[in-house]
Amino acid sequence: MIDPQPILDQELACLAFCWRLDRRDGVTIGLTSHDRDLRISGVVYHAAPGLVPSAITQGSSLDAQSMDLKGALTSDVITVNDLDAGRWDGASLSLHLTEWTAPGEVWLELSRGELGTVERDGEQFTAELLGPATALGKPVVPETSPNCRAQFGDAACRIDLAKYRQITRATGFSGTNVVVAGGGMTPGIFAFGTLRWLTGANAGVTQLIGNNDTTQIMLTDAPPFAGGAGCLVLIAQGCDKSMATCSTRFANAINFRGEPNLPGNDLLTRYPGA
């Protein structure tokens, strides 16, 4: 890679934007504002002239920076169905500037982050790019809460998720109800858990579980695509984040990340005899 400044200082430069997107399911694609595909470092950046970024500013301050990415759904790699299914939510994205006459020789990074809210209006979509500095807007210390603040199975929870998830087959579904092979499930054991589609049209999509009975899983939303009968799914148990569940069901009270006995704001309104 060469020094980009002499090229950028020219009165006429053949510049093109290049986006690299890495989805959470391992899919990587490249897009460019040029009218022809560009191959850079083994990645093919497909021509997507309808894709344009909003104004980009770079400075030395620590203010959280973000930008909007707008475009038309003209590329086969970004489809309406994938956007609606949430496959692009949380995808990492990097934006570079290159000269299309010598792709990759000038490789100026303009922004990097992950996709935030993705909104669609007909054949147009808008995606917010959240930069690394957005983490500075989070609380410095955790806020107190009666329920556990940890995510089930993360480093703070320390529960071994392998004991609480299984691969099974969806034998059929109707609306938000998914019937699984074998049955015999304990009612309510998968509430607040997740179902991940491993095969079929919904492969890679993870959905939240509202409840379950002995034979079927009740999802909070219907699967985005039809044809789920016979597909493999990974179902994982969940936790309601209460001390009672953490202690009796998982024997993990020592790692409970909450304050169930800490008085709340209602303490200020108490009076003798209340």
Side-chain angles (χ1 to χ4, degrees):
M1 186 168 52
I2 62 177
D3 181 14
Q5 200 58 48
I7 296 177
L8 297 177
D9 289 340
Q10 296 180 112
E11 293 185 3
L12 179 62
C14 305
L15 301 178
F17 292 110
C18 290
W19 294 266
R20 172 172 174 151
L21 298 99
D22 296 281
R23 288 192 337 205
R24 293 178 297 178
D25 58 1
V27 175
T28 297
I29 68 167
L31 299 170
T32 179
S33 60
H34 190 43
D35 59 357
R36 288 178 292 177
D37 294 352
L38 302 176
R39 179 179 291 273
I40 303 172
S41 301
V43 177
V44 176
Y45 291 80
H46 300 277
L51 203 63
V52 293
S54 62
I56 304 170
T57 60
Q58 292 181 327
S60 58
S61 69
L62 294 178
D63 294 336
Q65 296 181 6
S66 63
M67 74 172 187
D68 288 333
L69 183 66
K70 299 181 180 181
L73 297 173
T74 57
S75 175
D76 292 337
V77 294
I78 297 182
T79 65
V80 174
N81 289 338
D82 284 343
L83 286 173
D84 291 342
R87 286 191 169 123
W88 291 104
D89 294 348
S92 62
L93 183 148
S94 58
L95 173 62
H96 290 81
L97 194 66
T98 190
E99 189 175 53
W100 54 261
T101 57
E105 290 191 8
V106 174
W107 196 240
L108 181 62
E109 182 175 298
L110 300 179
S111 189
R112 176 181 296 272
E114 67 177 33
L115 291 182
T117 304
V118 179
E119 299 179 353
R120 184 171 65 86
D121 182 12
E123 293 300 312
Q124 298 286 330
F125 74 92
T126 301
E128 182 184 18
L129 176 62
L130 304 177
T134 55
L136 299 176
K138 298 180 180 179
V140 177
V141 296
E143 298 179 356
T144 59
S145 64
N147 295 327
C148 184
R149 293 180 296 274
Q151 295 298 318
F152 187 54
D154 66 5
C157 174
R158 300 186 181 181
I159 284 288
D160 183 6
L161 289 180
K163 301 178 181 179
Y164 303 100
R165 57 188 178 188
Q166 64 187 80
I167 295 177
T168 185
R169 190 175 297 277
T171 58
F173 69 92
S174 175
T176 59
N177 297 340
V178 179
V179 181
V180 298
M185 297 181 294
T186 302
I189 199 171
F190 288 100
F192 304 101
T194 59
L195 180 147
R196 179 179 176 85
W197 297 90
L198 302 179
T199 59
N202 294 296
V205 176
T206 300
Q207 296 186 265
L208 297 178
I209 298 175
N211 208 343
N212 74 280
D213 57 22
T214 58
T215 61
Q216 60 185 356
I217 298 290
M218 294 79 161
L219 303 173
T220 56
D221 297 292
F225 308 114
C231 297
L232 291 177
V233 293
L234 173 65
I235 52 177
Q237 297 183 28
C239 178
D240 63 4
K241 298 182 179 293
S242 69
M243 170 60 87
T245 299
C246 185
S247 176
T248 58
R249 180 175 163 192
F250 300 110
N252 194 43
I254 191 173
N255 293 315
F256 187 78
R257 301 299 188 224
E259 297 76 31
N261 301 316
L262 186 68
N265 293 334
D266 61 333
L267 179 64
L268 300 175
T269 62
R270 293 181 187 175
Y271 58 88

